[in-house]
């Protein structure tokens, strides 16, 4: 083998090694979906929606809206599967919408993260989404849409 061939082979091997190892650079963490801006309701806002099993609506129940510190913000009754509730101005998001009913053994939850959304369905699927987001690190938009 000639010295030129050895040099070409060496350069190719080094280039391949750099490509495989990424030349020692570590990937930068992504900040997609993360925001340092605190979202809040700028004015008192009426939120409405439905609560049920996913197949049928609850006849009655209680909706408790709380913050992440489990402090109650507002509460109302669920009647024929429907609810309306006023969220006070300057309330910081995210909020947890928890439904308690005698006809379902566990509370059901939906998470509010956007002050522009004023209608929420609360059922087992929204509860599963909330649990998964919490397990992934919190109620961020990125975790909730995964």
């Amino acid at each position: 083998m000639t010295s030129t061939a050895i040099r070409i082979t060496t350069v190719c091997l080094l280039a391949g090694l750099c490509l495989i190892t990424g030349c020692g650079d570590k990937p930068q963490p992504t900040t997609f979906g993360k925001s340092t801006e605190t979202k809040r309701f700028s004015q008192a806002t009426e939120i409405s929606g439905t609560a049920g099993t996913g197949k049928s609506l609850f006849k009655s129940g209680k909706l408790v809206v709380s913050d992440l510190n489990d402090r109650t913000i507002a509460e109302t009754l669920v009647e024929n599967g429907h609810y309306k509730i006023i969220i006070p101005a300057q309330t910081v998001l995210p909020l947890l919408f928890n439904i308690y009913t005698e006809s379902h053994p566990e509370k059901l939850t939906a998470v509010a993260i956007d002050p522009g959304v004023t209608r929420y369905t609360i059922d087992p699927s929204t509860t599963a989404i909330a649990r998964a987001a919490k397990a992934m690190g919190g109620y961020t938009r990125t975790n909730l849409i995964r």
Side-chain angles (χ1 to χ4, degrees), residues 121-138:
T121 299
I122 306 168
D123 61 26
S125 66
T126 62
T127 303
I129 291 167
R131 282 186 187 142
K134 186 176 182 181
M136 286 187 279

Side-chain angles (χ1 to χ4, degrees), residues 11-139:
V11 168
C12 288
L13 287 172
L14 287 174
L17 185 59
C18 283
L19 286 174
I20 291 170
T21 63
C23 297
D25 289 340
K26 293 182 181 177
Q28 297 299 314
T30 181
T31 58
F32 173 75
K34 293 185 180 179
S35 174
T36 56
E37 174 188 338
T38 299
K39 291 187 178 185
R40 65 181 70 230
F41 288 95
S42 60
Q43 59 189 15
T45 303
E46 182 179 86
I47 304 290
S48 63
T50 58
T53 65
K55 295 180 182 178
S56 64
L57 297 177
F58 295 133
K59 293 197 184 304
S60 64
K62 182 177 180 181
L63 169 68
V64 178
V65 179
S66 62
D67 63 14
L68 296 182
N69 295 318
D70 206 29
R71 185 175 61 103
T72 299
I73 304 299
E75 55 185 67
T76 191
L77 295 177
V78 175
E79 297 177 4
N80 295 318
H82 297 271
Y83 66 87
K84 286 185 180 180
I85 194 163
I86 301 293
I87 304 299
Q90 301 307 312
T91 300
V92 175
L93 293 157
L95 292 176
L96 302 176
F97 286 63
N98 295 305
I99 296 288
Y100 300 91
T101 180
E102 291 180 15
S103 62
H104 198 270
E106 64 178 274
K107 76 175 177 183
L108 298 176
T109 303
V111 180
I113 60 169
D114 186 337
V117 178
T118 59
R119 185 153 178 78
Y120 290 91
T121 299
I122 306 168
D123 61 26
S125 66
T126 62
T127 303
I129 291 167
R131 282 186 187 142
K134 186 176 182 181
M136 286 187 279
Y139 302 115

